[in-house]
Amino acid sequence: MEHIVGIVAEYNPFHNGHLYHLQKVKEMFPDSLLILVLGGNFTQRGEVSILDKWTKTKLALHYGIDLVVELPFPFSCASADIFAEGAIELLHHLGVTDLVFGSETDDIEGINQLVEVQLHHEDFPSLVQVYLRMGHNYPTALSKSLEEITGKTYKLPNDILGISYVKAIKKNNYKITPHTIQRTNAYHSEDLKEISSATSIRKALIEKKEIKKSVPKLTYQYLKNEVLPNQDDYFPFLKYKIITSKDLTIYHLVDSGLAKKLQKEILYTNTFDELINKVKSKNTTYARMERTLIYILCEFTKDRAKAMKQIKYIRLLGFDQKGQTYLNQIKKTLSLPLISKFTREKEAMLEYEYLITKVYSLVFQEPKRINLIEEEYKMNPIRKEEENETND
């Protein structure tokens, strides 16, 4: 097998754009092995995943992924650089030779150039500080600094993530070659088409609109038959946490000023969006604030964040025959423990993942709620049997 191809995704939900991405990867690398690092029940931007990680694993395997591993919460619900650092490290340990990601610009040379500037240009760090002092948030300060040095603008989310992926590869000298695939839809577009953004599909679901043309058949069946959690379903739990916490500054990214704002405004708000807009400062992104609220909800303290800066295991979520064969080939040489059953390893980050699942389960009715909790420690990796039919 010449190429081991890595993909990083959240599949919130798995839609036609993701299917197109997988098809293009297979065109680029025929007969390659596809490994997915999957974001779990809370996403990089601090949102709740409308389908749980096991359902997303089933979808990934059904539509052509050979091996699925979990990106732990401290990395999956984090800034682009931390998210990428964790995902790329997992792919490195799994022997990936190539990374393929969606990109708005589809300009891998341009992205490589920007990364070289971030890592090696002597004026870059001081320029970022100048823009931060001007009141810009960190992603904007990065973007403006890069634009000033290179004349190129990269502001869209997949390009920003792509820069973080390539930076993680170069910084750590991983032997992974990055490749881009042109994104075929606007990230924030709310128009439903055959290929639509996950954002527009989630919005359509909330508004009870038909999304059948925008997602593959199996995704549609899950979305139609599952109870889908909404971000604001968790707001009463967040409100309780903020009201009853003696010291909110124990939580990651919460300083004393934000803590005071939260405790003042929480009594008068009823949604995440409302609270974020009341407490967010000019130089803080919406996504950072959304993640911060999820950190409070999920007990992600500064101590936990400090202790969980490194990937210490590989959590296997699912595989097909091809993926299992590959695992058998490499498992003796893996430098991280491969965990296929929760009870086999007592690691702080893994124990914390169990807490994350319990929080995620709060808004579901039984038996779904109990099933989610029990699956975390009882579930074996999902094994995809060979299918005779063509994937829809």
Side-chain angles (χ1 to χ4, degrees):
M1 206 176 299
E2 195 173 340
H3 294 278
I4 311 300
V5 180
I7 294 169
V8 184
E10 295 178 319
Y11 292 162
N12 187 31
F14 186 96
H15 54 64
N16 289 341
H18 295 128
L19 187 57
Y20 171 82
H21 177 254
L22 292 183
Q23 289 166 346
K24 295 302 285 185
V25 170
K26 290 179 179 184
E27 288 175 19
M28 293 166 69
F29 300 103
D31 301 318
S32 59
L33 181 91
L34 269 56
I35 299 178
L36 169 68
V37 174
L38 179 67
N41 295 332
F42 292 96
T43 72
Q44 192 263 326
R45 293 182 60 83
E47 297 171 336
V48 60
S49 179
I50 60 174
L51 292 173
D52 68 86
K53 64 188 177 188
W54 298 108
T55 301
K56 294 194 291 186
T57 297
K58 290 173 188 172
L59 285 165
L61 293 171
H62 181 79
Y63 288 108
I65 295 290
D66 299 302
L67 186 62
V68 184
V69 299
E70 179 176 44
L71 185 60
F73 177 90
F75 299 90
S76 69
C77 186
S79 66
D81 279 355
I82 296 171
F83 179 92
E85 190 74 34
I88 299 301
E89 184 177 354
L90 282 169
L91 293 176
H92 163 71
H93 282 294
L94 287 164
V96 160
T97 60
D98 299 85
L99 171 76
V100 184
F101 58 89
S103 162
E104 288 87 359
T105 58
D106 195 23
D107 179 13
I108 193 64
E109 289 308 315
I111 288 173
N112 273 310
Q113 183 187 355
L114 293 180
V115 170
E116 287 297 322
V117 169
Q118 282 197 40
L119 293 178
H120 303 300
H121 197 288
E122 60 181 10
D123 295 333
F124 181 73
S126 57
L127 201 52
V128 171
Q129 291 305 312
V130 168
Y131 282 113
L132 288 173
R133 286 195 293 272
M134 289 170 65
H136 296 290
N137 61 49
Y138 186 68
T140 302
L142 285 182
S143 178
K144 286 183 173 293
S145 301
L146 290 170
E147 186 176 0
E148 186 166 328
I149 293 170
T150 67
K152 295 186 177 183
T153 305
Y154 287 79
K155 293 181 178 177
L156 294 169
N158 285 272
D159 280 338
I160 291 169
L161 260 180
I163 291 168
S164 294
Y165 293 146
V166 175
K167 185 162 61 175
I169 290 169
K170 287 180 177 290
K171 191 172 73 173
N172 295 288
N173 294 313
Y174 294 147
K175 294 179 181 178
I176 300 174
T177 304
H179 310 264
T180 58
I181 290 176
Q182 178 78 54
R183 268 187 71 99
T184 53
N185 63 281
Y187 179 77
H188 288 300
S189 170
E190 294 183 358
D191 297 329
L192 276 187
K193 303 172 184 174
E194 184 176 350
I195 295 185
S196 298
S197 69
T199 303
S200 63
I201 292 168
R202 292 194 301 271
K203 186 173 186 291
L205 285 166
I206 291 170
E207 295 173 352
K208 310 294 185 189
K209 292 180 180 176
E210 182 54 69
I211 50 95
K212 193 171 188 176
K213 68 180 180 182
S214 300
V215 297
K217 184 178 178 181
L218 187 60
T219 301
Y220 184 73
Q221 289 174 4
Y222 281 125
L223 292 175
K224 186 175 66 173
N225 296 325
E226 294 275 353
V227 176
L228 307 178
N230 182 286
Q231 187 87 336
D232 287 329
D233 294 340
Y234 294 85
F235 195 80
F237 302 105
L238 175 67
K239 184 178 250 189
Y240 175 80
K241 289 275 295 183
I242 293 173
I243 289 171
T244 58
S245 290
K246 290 181 179 179
D247 182 11
L248 289 172
T249 64
I250 67 169
Y251 297 111
H252 189 44
L253 303 185
V254 180
D255 59 23
S256 58
L258 177 58
K260 287 177 184 176
K261 284 184 186 177
L262 287 169
Q263 287 170 328
K264 178 184 175 184
E265 299 294 348
I266 192 64
L267 296 172
Y268 309 102
T269 53
N270 293 294
T271 68
F272 273 79
D273 187 60
E274 195 179 349
L275 182 59
I276 289 169
N277 286 318
K278 283 189 176 182
V279 303
K280 188 178 85 67
S281 61
K282 182 183 175 183
N283 62 350
T284 304
T285 64
Y286 189 97
R288 179 184 168 99
M289 263 314 313
E290 199 162 22
R291 283 194 297 268
T292 303
L293 296 182
I294 293 299
Y295 293 159
I296 295 171
L297 179 71
C298 293
E299 287 282 323
F300 193 53
T301 61
K302 289 181 170 71
D303 287 344
R304 275 199 169 111
K306 188 176 179 181
M308 298 182 183
K309 286 186 174 181
Q310 286 187 310
I311 297 281
K312 294 186 178 179
Y313 61 85
I314 301 169
R315 176 82 183 276
L316 185 58
L317 296 180
F319 52 82
D320 62 9
Q321 185 59 54
K322 198 172 174 182
Q324 185 177 28
T325 301
Y326 179 69
L327 275 180
N328 289 337
Q329 291 170 2
I330 67 165
K331 63 184 178 184
K332 288 183 179 178
T333 59
L334 285 173
S335 53
L336 290 179
L338 181 68
I339 295 175
S340 57
K341 193 77 182 285
F342 183 89
T343 51
R344 283 181 57 190
E345 181 80 16
K346 293 201 172 179
E347 213 287 321
M349 196 183 292
L350 191 62
E351 291 287 345
Y352 180 56
E353 207 65 49
Y354 181 38
L355 185 149
I356 296 300
T357 296
K358 287 188 283 189
V359 172
Y360 180 74
S361 75
L362 284 171
V363 303
F364 295 93
Q365 299 295 316
E366 294 184 23
K368 172 76 172 178
R369 184 177 65 82
I370 298 301
N371 287 343
L372 280 171
I373 293 170
E374 291 188 345
E375 281 171 351
E376 188 63 34
Y377 61 89
K378 287 183 177 179
M379 189 85 155
N380 288 314
I382 295 167
R383 183 192 302 266
K384 177 196 173 189
E385 303 300 331
E386 294 303 312
E387 295 175 350
N388 296 321
E389 73 275 9
T390 303
N391 288 339
D392 300 303

